[in-house]
Amino acid sequence: MAELFFTFVKNLRMATSVRLIRRYVWLVETIRRAGRITLEDINNKWINSSLQDGEELLAERTFHRHRKAIEDIFGIDILCDRSNGNVYYIGNEDILDKPSFTSSLFNGLAIDNLLIDNPDLKERIQYEETPGGNKYLPMIIEAIAKNLIIDIFYRSFNDRRLKEFKVEPYGLKQSSRRWYLISHIPDYETLTVFALDRIESISITNEEFKFDNSWNLDSYFDEVIGVNLEDDYDYEDVIIKVYGHQRHYIESLPLHKSQKLVKREKEYSEYSYKLRPEYEFQHEILKLGLNLEVLSPQWLRDEIKWQAEEILKLYQK
């Protein structure tokens, strides 16, 4: 992921203008919507685009230059089916659907293009705010790509003192609207997680570190739903019962990638998980309130029951 984004930043600087980038996005989105489309039909749509700026047609040479730039910048392949009337299509459309910097950036630019043509829509679209720290993303990604140690000043919620850490940046993970830096601190046995919104300053050093290529970000967090890897919780089987329409939400957006349907009845469904049922998983369970019941393990059922009773006490005062 880091290499892809670093390549994007490098190639983005080579683009002649923001308008040219918007052209690339428009072209990909036009082909993506059509599924398969000829250059003639692309030009029929281009005539009505606000980006054409007096250029009535996309010359074939220009079109192919755009194809090459789109591949270099976004990693998106625009292919041609010559056996079916020279129609163009996106060869790796899944790259725009998977969670990644490329997909979020491209889809954001595609929306931005529409807002330029329809400025009144800005008041009808609302984005979720993030707590902050996004400004550090490019710097951290650069350090990841170059295997350079970074120096950060950090103030956690548990300890309000400002502390300095020199860390080896391993990766980035987004969870619950926050970005987290996954890093290794020399002489620490386990990796350390820093929330970007609690970083007060950051700088890249000239010190290189040797990255363990066997380490994988996805597998590292396989056992949890967020970023908390607490040894206090065992990796075990969990079964829950979900009632009513809430089942549809659970199935369209699983609580964890290990989620499996165990039983489906008229009034409820049961799902199994293999994970560490730590704080963040418990929090997701509590968010569903009366629509969810923990069946096993018994200790987790008792824990959720205790938390529900403690919540009740707050409202009985």
Side-chain angles (χ1 to χ4, degrees), residues 66-245:
H66 287 2
R67 283 178 66 192
K68 182 63 170 63
I70 288 166
E71 181 182 357
D72 291 342
I73 295 173
F74 296 104
I76 298 171
D77 299 325
I78 298 176
L79 304 180
C80 180
D81 184 353
R82 301 189 183 282
S83 65
N84 193 27
N86 287 335
V87 292
Y88 293 93
Y89 62 99
I90 307 298
N92 56 343
E93 190 172 343
D94 60 320
I95 198 174
L96 298 173
D97 297 323
K98 294 178 180 177
S100 67
F101 279 112
T102 300
S103 62
S104 60
L105 181 70
F106 178 86
N107 291 321
L109 288 170
I111 293 171
D112 205 36
N113 271 353
L114 290 171
L115 293 180
I116 288 175
D117 288 340
N118 306 277
D120 292 342
L121 286 179
K122 291 182 179 179
E123 297 180 359
R124 300 169 63 181
I125 298 175
Q126 188 176 57
Y127 297 90
E128 271 196 327
E129 292 185 15
T130 56
N134 290 354
K135 62 183 179 181
Y136 299 126
L137 283 171
M139 193 179 300
I140 293 172
I141 291 169
E142 181 179 349
I144 291 172
K146 295 180 178 179
N147 288 337
L148 292 175
I149 290 175
I150 56 178
D151 192 15
I152 66 173
F153 283 87
Y154 191 78
R155 196 187 303 273
S156 71
F157 289 149
N158 295 329
D159 185 350
R160 300 301 296 167
R161 293 175 298 173
L162 187 64
K163 294 183 178 180
E164 181 181 11
F165 297 91
K166 280 196 172 184
V167 307
E168 300 170 354
Y170 270 41
L172 285 161
K173 179 178 172 65
Q174 191 175 32
S175 178
S176 301
R177 294 165 51 196
R178 278 189 166 91
W179 278 103
Y180 294 88
L181 166 64
I182 317 303
S183 62
H184 174 252
I185 300 177
D187 300 327
Y188 278 44
E189 291 184 4
T190 59
L191 297 183
T192 304
V193 178
F194 296 97
L196 265 59
D197 61 301
R198 281 162 250 168
I199 294 176
E200 299 206 357
S201 69
I202 185 171
S203 60
I204 302 177
T205 72
N206 293 321
E207 302 175 61
E208 293 187 16
F209 69 92
K210 185 173 178 58
F211 175 66
D212 181 2
N213 289 314
S214 66
W215 184 81
N216 181 272
L217 180 63
D218 288 335
S219 60
Y220 187 74
F221 288 101
D222 263 351
E223 299 178 0
V224 296
I225 66 169
V227 295
N228 291 321
L229 284 167
E230 298 182 25
D231 292 333
D232 294 341
Y233 296 92
D234 293 329
Y235 182 55
E236 58 184 313
D237 294 314
V238 174
I239 299 178
I240 64 171
K241 180 187 287 188
V242 182
Y243 297 92
H245 296 300

Side-chain angles (χ1 to χ4, degrees), residues 238-248 250-251 255 259-273 281 284-286 288-297 300-301 304:
V238 174
I239 299 178
I240 64 171
K241 180 187 287 188
V242 182
Y243 297 92
H245 296 300
Q246 194 62 50
R247 293 177 290 178
H248 304 310
I250 288 288
E251 291 177 5
L255 295 180
Q259 177 174 300
K260 291 181 181 179
L261 177 66
V262 176
K263 181 192 294 184
R264 186 188 300 279
E265 300 290 346
K266 183 178 180 180
E267 301 296 331
Y268 68 87
S269 294
E270 293 180 9
Y271 303 93
S272 69
Y273 302 87
F281 182 72
E284 290 299 315
I285 288 174
L286 288 168
L288 295 175
L290 297 174
N291 293 308
L292 187 150
E293 177 186 357
V294 174
L295 299 182
S296 65
L300 180 59
R301 182 178 174 88
I304 297 300

Side-chain angles (χ1 to χ4, degrees), residues 53-75:
D53 197 23
E55 186 179 356
E56 293 185 0
L57 296 176
L58 276 176
E60 187 171 354
R61 181 178 296 179
T62 302
F63 170 72
H64 290 302
R65 282 203 306 266
H66 287 2
R67 283 178 66 192
K68 182 63 170 63
I70 288 166
E71 181 182 357
D72 291 342
I73 295 173
F74 296 104

